[in-house]
Amino acid sequence: MKLKTKEQIENYRDTGRIAAEILTTLVDHVKPGVSTYEIAKLAEDLIVNKYDAIASCIGQYDFEYALCSSVNDVVCHGIPSKEEILKDGDMVNLDITVKKHGLVSDTSRMYLVGEVSADAQKLSRVGQECLYKGIDQVKPGNTLGDIGFAINKHATRNGYSIVREYSGHGIGAEMHEEPEVLHYGKKDKGIKLVEGMTFTIEPMVNQGSREIEHLDDEWTVVTQDGKLSVQWEHTILVTKTGYEILTLREEESFKRTS
Ligand code: MF3
Ligand code: CO
Ligand code: CO
């Protein structure tokens, strides 16, 4: 795992800010009647033309879009589609990666479309809290196990489950680097955090069981029981005393400063 230099960290702040701003811009475009394809194309246009950056999801493995769009029971890696029209009551995760200054930032959030059920709103809120509980554990000397433990505990105490087949990841010049950042684990176990590390935390929280299935498109991951799943993701830097959320959005600033 490569530790980031002072100069890289400056650049990483810019890369992260771009991804954060795009997620916020998309809020006004996620509404009933819009297809996930249109949203992905808008995100691509913003990344490339407004921010002069690279949509690094495109061509990663064989993915063709600037973001993954995961609706309702889709856990992650949903493929944007013209046929997938958002409707009142849906919830969708939009997961974007932006490469600039040779560094990749990776972040996602949930969007609630129109009027969403109270159960779904609660799941989304707890999912975001799980991300924050994980982030709260980030400081030199703590371990990856501390992060996973805190996340899984918050999910299960709310009656939800954590998907285990997908994890957060180291990030830098490449989207996916070492180490794996599991969203479950044991206190004090696993790699020790060191100043200058960058990785994502991105828990997938299921309303029902944690079991998943893969669709025939070889990308889309869904819940086995058909219940809802949510995900929230940030790119995090380990600092001397704690963490910095490189992809922090403006609306989060009041509750997350480090
Ligand atoms: N953004 C996803 C993640 O959080 C990865 C997307 S896979 C890609 O790791 F192929 F779309 F890039
Ligand atoms: Co992502
Ligand atoms: Co990621």
Side-chain angles (χ1 to χ4, degrees):
M1 194 182 339
K2 294 193 198 80
L3 302 179
K4 302 300 174 293
T5 63
K6 255 204 157 126
E7 189 193 348
Q8 283 176 315
I9 290 168
E10 274 305 311
N11 284 330
Y12 225 143
R13 290 192 177 111
D14 188 53
T15 309
R17 175 191 56 85
I18 293 169
E21 279 184 16
I22 292 172
L23 285 190
T24 298
T25 301
L26 294 180
V27 170
D28 289 337
H29 298 269
V30 177
K31 49 190 180 202
V34 175
S35 73
T36 50
Y37 174 88
E38 289 170 81
I39 297 169
K41 284 295 168 188
L42 170 63
E44 182 180 344
D45 181 55
L46 290 168
I47 294 170
V48 174
N49 296 313
K50 178 170 180 190
Y51 292 102
D52 194 22
I54 296 167
S56 52
C57 279
I58 299 174
Q60 177 87 3
Y61 316 108
D62 63 349
F63 205 77
E64 293 176 17
Y65 298 97
L67 52 75
C68 297
S69 55
S70 301
V71 179
N72 297 338
D73 65 330
V74 178
V75 171
C76 63
H77 298 171
I79 306 172
S81 157
K82 287 181 184 168
E83 278 81 58
E84 186 173 59
I85 314 285
L86 296 174
K87 56 182 194 311
D88 191 59
D90 281 344
M91 59 201 319
V92 58
N93 170 280
L94 300 177
D95 187 347
I96 195 171
T97 58
V98 170
K99 186 168 190 175
K100 188 149 179 169
H101 314 298
L103 295 161
V104 181
S105 59
D106 183 4
T107 183
S108 79
R109 56 162 287 172
M110 296 303 300
Y111 297 79
L112 307 181
V113 185
E115 285 294 309
V116 171
S117 75
D119 282 357
Q121 286 183 42
K122 182 182 171 201
L123 177 66
S124 178
R125 175 175 58 75
V126 172
Q128 188 176 26
E129 288 167 1
C130 283
L131 170 59
Y132 292 153
K133 296 273 183 196
I135 293 172
D136 275 339
Q137 293 298 319
V138 176
K139 63 174 179 196
N142 272 13
T143 66
L144 288 179
D146 292 329
I147 296 173
F149 178 81
I151 290 170
N152 191 53
K153 180 170 138 196
H154 191 64
T156 52
R157 73 152 51 152
N158 280 282
Y160 302 139
S161 63
I162 290 285
V163 171
R164 298 194 172 202
E165 288 81 355
Y166 295 89
S167 59
H169 46 90
I171 190 165
E174 300 297 328
M175 180 192 311
H176 292 147
E177 298 184 356
E178 295 293 310
E180 260 194 323
V181 180
L182 300 178
H183 303 118
Y184 61 96
K186 295 200 170 83
K187 275 186 189 172
D188 296 327
K189 298 284 179 201
I191 292 172
K192 259 200 181 10
L193 306 181
V194 173
E195 183 183 359
M197 285 180 178
T198 47
F199 53 81
T200 72
I201 304 178
E202 49 183 299
M204 285 138 277
V205 182
N206 288 0
Q207 192 176 34
S209 91
R210 68 174 179 80
E211 312 303 328
I212 57 159
E213 280 175 8
H214 295 88
L215 299 190
D216 289 340
D217 62 26
E218 293 188 353
W219 274 104
T220 311
V221 181
V222 297
T223 59
Q224 201 173 74
D225 60 15
K227 293 189 180 174
L228 297 170
S229 184
V230 300
Q231 184 175 26
W232 295 78
E233 175 176 22
H234 272 311
T235 298
I236 311 292
L237 166 73
V238 183
T239 64
K240 199 187 227 9
T241 54
Y243 60 83
E244 184 173 328
I245 304 176
L246 294 168
T247 47
L248 190 74
R249 297 182 301 281
E250 212 157 77
E251 97 264 5
E252 296 177 293
S253 306
F254 69 99
K255 42 186 171 182
R256 313 298 319 169
T257 47
S258 66

